[in-house]
Amino acid sequence: MLTPLASLRTGLELRLGADARAWLHLALTEAADAPRYAGRHGLPPWERHFAAAGRHCRDTSARPGDAPHGTPHGTVPEAADAARILLLHAAGPDTEALARLYAHGSADERRAVLLALPHLDPQPSADGARALVEDALRANDTRLIAAALGPWSARHLDAHQWRHALLKCLFTGVPLSAVAGLEERAAGDGELARMLEDYARERTAASRPVPADLHRALRAARRPRAAGPAPGPAAEGTAAEGPAAEAPAARPSEQTWEG
Amino acid sequence: MRIFDPHIHMTSRTTDDYAAMYAAGVRALVEPSFWLGQPRTSPATFLDYFDALLGWEPYRAAQYGIAHHCTLALNPKEANDPRCRPVLDELPRYLLKDRVVAVGEIGYDSMTPAEDSALAAQLQLAREHELPALVHTPHRDKVAGLARTLDVLRESGLPPERCLLDHLNETTVGPAADSGCWLGFSIYPDTKMDPDRMIRILRVHGTERVLVNSAADWGHSDPLKTRHVGEAMLAAGFTEDDVDQVLWRNPVAFYGRSGRLELEVTAPAEQLFEGNSILRGGA
């Protein structure tokens, strides 16, 4: 079976014209060369490609309106997103470089950094990656919010952050299908159920419709949690269960990007 | 009537403006980075502003069906403040970004030596990044300012067809047209140009290489002035094709030289969410 990144690359190449494919090959080669530029003055060549991916790497089959929320978890990324994720994987930036790429990035570049988080080797430090996710969750751009809630966040956000992220999706209209590990993390979460019920009451009191997705989350939260270590970081009162990364919710879906 | 506003500062405008612009036919725009009214005191606030022009503002525009692009630069007024000049060192990285369609607004404000060097340096950046340049002509001492601008442009080696001279009027349109640059006119309620004066200029100079913008910002200005010019052109006997050339094809041709125009909008219509005209994230 292909790894998610291998299938991402295959799927991308199939959607590109000849010029864009040639650009992608060059950019990936230079990204793999990134360590040679570490510590040198000036912008490494691959970072130019990272910035310019949107105009070199266009999906020949995409239509406007196809992806109003960008590329949430579990859907096939837009061509430029896919290219940037592959570039990040090839270049393997450390936590500091990743933070710089995010901070100096356009909204599209920031989204790519977030989408790439679970796939990077080396993995960024948990604190470093969390800072980027927190920044995105403070944004009002729904494409950033959606991109922030992939498998990395399912594994690492603490219960409070994760619940508020879910509520923010409901507030801003990000479909909950964008949230990785929703069912596993919500299961048995009484506090989340209370927050959702309060929100539903507030909407009803204001004569406003309750988002349909709220009921989905509420059903999940009322469901008892499956046996085994709690999803999310180990600190959640169920410590000493081993690395949280081994929890069921932690694994990126095998089907991610195999659209 | 399809309209491309080649110069408008949407950061200063409301969502009502976006909706009214869409209703008037505006489908694309360019937001040049400029002075914010309140002087900035460090490069960091410029970078936050650039980030907004590359992230938040295109997102906001797309919700109203409008394709947003920007031009980035250290503006002439703040080029005089030594605390802001390090922005010039940050620009090369930002000029690589998608949807940056020119270096601008650059040019002269008070015609100081600091403005000379910032203008020359940024014209070189335009050359290196294969971008056009949006050049603001000064509001004070305009005729002399244009002459000096044209001298610096010639010295820079940036071809005139990659340069848009903006805020022109009756006294500057002649030498600007002779230079081979594109000709920009800002239509304002009080100052700069008005639609009737614009019609007189179009009658004399024709529609070739002419762009009309609202330059709307935080001052007394009107984001629908482009539409008013289109209507005035039709009333004055210009054809619909003439209007389309000035209000759409000319800006597309000029900024298209960047290779970075994306005129199709991913309009997230369904994001206009349950009574919220813009998604506030619960704020």
Side-chain angles (χ1 to χ4, degrees), chain A residues 32-205:
Chain A
D33 224 15
R36 279 208 305 138
Y37 291 87
R40 286 200 207 172
H41 182 71
L43 210 58
W46 83 272
E47 288 192 26
R48 295 174 168 270
H49 300 308
F50 185 69
R55 55 188 184 270
H56 289 293
C57 212
R58 292 202 181 119
D59 192 335
T60 48
S61 60
R63 297 182 311 272
D66 272 358
H69 299 286
T71 301
H73 164 72
T75 61
V76 178
E78 293 169 40
D81 284 348
R84 287 190 172 110
I85 293 165
L86 292 168
L87 286 173
L88 285 166
H89 179 259
D94 62 19
T95 303
E96 193 185 332
L98 199 66
R100 184 171 47 76
L101 287 165
Y102 182 91
H104 294 164
S106 64
D108 290 343
E109 292 166 59
R110 291 178 183 203
R111 209 169 62 235
V113 169
L114 297 165
L115 293 170
L117 283 180
H119 304 286
L120 294 177
D121 182 16
Q123 272 283 290
S125 76
D127 285 347
R130 183 176 295 104
L132 307 184
V133 166
E134 287 172 350
D135 180 88
L137 290 174
R138 280 193 297 270
N140 278 353
D141 183 334
T142 55
R143 296 165 308 167
L144 283 171
I145 297 167
L149 290 172
W152 190 93
S153 290
R155 206 177 324 170
H156 293 285
L157 289 190
D158 70 29
H160 181 81
Q161 286 177 315
W162 192 81
R163 289 171 192 141
H164 272 271
L166 208 65
L167 219 53
K168 180 139 185 179
C169 287
L170 294 171
F171 265 74
T172 56
V174 173
L176 293 191
S177 56
V179 180
L182 171 71
E183 304 290 332
E184 295 87 346
R185 277 216 68 162
D189 188 340
E191 176 63 4
L192 176 64
R194 180 201 62 77
M195 290 164 76
L196 293 169
E197 285 162 0
D198 281 358
Y199 181 43
R201 246 193 307 279
E202 187 187 329
R203 298 285 304 180
T204 308

Side-chain angles (χ1 to χ4, degrees), chain B residues 195-209:
Chain B
D196 292 336
R197 289 165 55 202
M198 190 65 228
I199 297 301
R200 288 197 289 275
I201 285 181
L202 284 166
R203 283 210 171 105
V204 174
H205 286 272
T207 53
E208 207 177 315
R209 285 189 288 133

Side-chain angles (χ1 to χ4, degrees), chain B residues 175-187:
Chain B
D178 292 343
S179 73
C181 294
W182 294 75
L183 311 171
F185 296 88
S186 301
I187 314 299

Side-chain angles (χ1 to χ4, degrees), chain A residues 54-55 58 68 104 203, chain B residues 93 96-98 262 271 274:
Chain A
R55 55 188 184 270
R58 292 202 181 119
H104 294 164
R203 298 285 304 180
Chain B
R93 180 160 49 79
L96 294 170
K97 306 288 188 195
D98 291 330
E262 297 273 354
Q271 291 186 19
E274 293 175 7

